[in-house]
Amino acid sequence: YFRKSDITAGKAEDGIFHITILDDILATGGTAEGIANALDKTRLSIDGKEYGIKVNEFIFIAELDSLYGRNRLEKIAPVYTIAHIK
């Protein structure tokens, strides 16, 4: 879930809002991938100008390495994790 008002509170560069997705656990990556894809398709209109959204990176507190969610997300943006659970 995301609110467009939260995104538009940031600063756009070259017509794109660049964001980071921060979550607690990376398992299969399906949820984060779905959010990133939804954001990629979202267009925001501000004062008559249209903006896109791009996920620049994913950050997770922990990653379940055996589920390989990183492989799925790295096709979209870099993935950073604080702790790995094997």
Side-chain angles (χ1 to χ4, degrees):
Y1 173 77
F2 62 90
R3 295 186 313 204
K4 292 178 184 180
S5 62
D6 291 339
I7 295 169
T8 59
K11 181 180 175 188
E13 294 179 9
D14 298 323
I16 298 173
F17 284 95
H18 298 271
I19 67 165
T20 295
I21 293 180
L22 173 65
D23 202 356
D24 54 356
I25 302 276
L26 171 56
T28 65
T31 301
E33 179 185 48
I35 291 169
N37 288 337
L39 288 169
D40 185 56
K41 294 174 186 172
T42 300
R43 298 293 173 256
L44 304 173
S45 182
I46 304 168
D47 297 330
K49 186 173 179 188
E50 190 170 283
Y51 295 87
I53 303 170
K54 180 181 183 331
V55 174
N56 274 9
E57 63 187 353
F58 297 93
I59 299 175
F60 297 92
I61 295 171
E63 177 178 349
L64 303 175
D65 292 339
S66 62
L67 296 179
Y68 304 105
R70 172 180 293 269
N71 296 345
R72 182 182 217 165
L73 298 180
E74 284 181 330
K75 296 174 186 173
I76 300 168
V79 177
Y80 302 100
T81 305
I82 296 170
H84 292 269
I85 301 169
K86 300 198 183 263

